[in-house]
Amino acid sequence: MGAYLRPRGLEEALQALTRPFMVLAGGTDFYPARVALPVTEDILDIGAIAALRGISETADGWRLGAMTTWSELVEAGLPPLFDGLKQAAREVGGRQIQNAGTIAGNVCNASPAADGVPALLALEAEVEVASRDGARRLPLGAFITGVRKTALLPGELVTALHVPRPKHDARSAFLKLGARRYLVISIAMASVVVEVSNRTVAAARIAVGACSPVAQRLPDLERTLVGVTVDAHLGERVEPRHLAPLSPIDDVRGSAGYRGEVALVLLRRLLSEVAA
């Protein structure tokens, strides 16, 4: 077995990362991948670092600590802007996974089917990263660069996600489709955030997951919705051409064509839901 460290302070963790370590947060992906296998990596367990936990509100928006669990997110007193992220949180595995799994772990795992990523993309989340040389922030869309790939550099650790405050009243929602109701990897999923002013769409942010190597925003659809009346017909504005950024694949869970059809249906339902 390799070395195991469990620091209690962020500086101690960053000092440890001056040499290679496998960072362990909730462990909900780490342990299942190593059933009956020896752990040979050097492990940096960040679960005892209090500074990485909790949700706080700032003048500019909200800060979600990297070690905040999905259960903590669901129970937090947050505005309707976060309803979609909370709906996604309830889809992350079962209750045990939600109690242990962390927001940053879901992002750093960089799975195309990570339930939290489309909702965070629609929230325009930024990833806060720290190292011994300082801190930086980058958009989530730039942080996840491919399947299981991120923009993290050697020696860096994700410390939080930041969600900006919208300019108008905002509503959000999330939907996914899998082969069964619970404990399932998505065939397709989508999340929307709609800002409303005078009963019209002032801004829209829409993301689809499990239909591309990386979850994708749909900028053409977002532009189409601006200025549209928020009513029961809002979902009808979604057309197949709006899904052009997606590149679904054929696999055991569904064909590329089926995924495209599902994404279209999910988006129409989501926009009808936020308009209700």
Side-chain angles (χ1 to χ4, degrees):
M1 179 177 176
Y4 174 83
L5 297 180
R6 186 176 167 85
R8 293 188 174 277
L10 179 59
E11 287 302 317
E12 184 182 355
L14 296 179
Q15 177 60 42
L17 285 174
T18 55
R19 68 182 182 88
F21 270 94
M22 170 69 72
V23 177
L24 178 67
T28 56
D29 286 298
F30 178 86
Y31 292 116
R34 291 162 177 79
V35 172
L37 297 175
V39 177
T40 58
E41 303 100 327
D42 291 339
I43 304 300
L44 179 67
D45 183 348
I46 61 173
I49 303 176
L52 300 183
R53 293 193 174 275
I55 300 173
S56 57
E57 186 173 359
T58 69
D60 298 325
W62 293 264
R63 182 182 189 274
L64 315 177
M67 286 296 297
T68 302
T69 68
W70 295 110
S71 293
E72 290 169 343
L73 175 74
V74 169
E75 295 166 2
L78 293 167
L81 172 68
F82 287 90
D83 286 353
L85 185 58
K86 288 190 175 188
Q87 289 167 342
R90 296 186 180 97
E91 299 285 351
V92 180
R95 183 59 62 87
Q96 297 95 330
I97 297 296
Q98 294 165 19
N99 289 343
T102 64
I103 295 173
N106 195 250
V107 168
C108 290
N109 194 40
S111 166
D115 290 320
V117 172
L120 288 166
L121 278 176
L123 288 169
E124 294 191 310
E126 290 187 335
V127 183
E128 176 187 292
V129 174
S131 71
R132 292 283 291 172
D133 297 326
R136 64 187 179 114
R137 282 164 59 166
L138 65 164
L140 177 58
F143 177 80
I144 300 177
T145 59
V147 178
R148 310 289 184 182
K149 296 179 181 179
T150 72
L152 268 180
L153 300 175
E156 289 187 327
L157 180 71
V158 173
T159 50
L161 280 86
H162 292 266
V163 174
R165 191 180 301 277
K167 296 179 181 178
H168 310 276
D169 290 339
R171 313 168 184 180
S172 69
F174 170 90
L175 278 174
K176 70 181 277 186
L177 176 71
R180 59 180 186 268
R181 179 64 185 88
Y182 295 106
L183 303 173
V184 63
I185 297 174
S186 297
I187 295 172
M189 56 184 161
S191 189
V192 305
V193 171
V194 173
E195 295 185 37
V196 180
S197 178
N198 297 322
R199 293 200 54 78
T200 63
V201 177
R205 294 179 291 279
I206 298 170
V208 175
C211 290
S212 304
V214 177
Q216 295 289 320
R217 290 269 297 269
L218 302 181
D220 187 29
L221 176 57
E222 294 174 355
R223 289 190 292 267
T224 296
L225 293 175
V226 173
V228 172
T229 301
V230 178
D231 59 18
H233 301 288
L234 188 62
E236 298 171 12
R237 299 280 180 165
V238 187
E239 300 177 10
R241 64 180 177 86
H242 292 132
L243 278 61
L246 306 181
S247 54
I249 62 170
D250 297 315
D251 66 9
V252 295
R253 288 186 291 277
S255 68
Y258 180 63
R259 280 189 160 91
E261 290 293 332
V262 166
L264 185 66
V265 171
L266 291 178
L267 290 170
R268 287 172 173 169
R269 289 181 180 177
L270 282 170
L271 288 170
S272 295
E273 179 180 332
V274 298

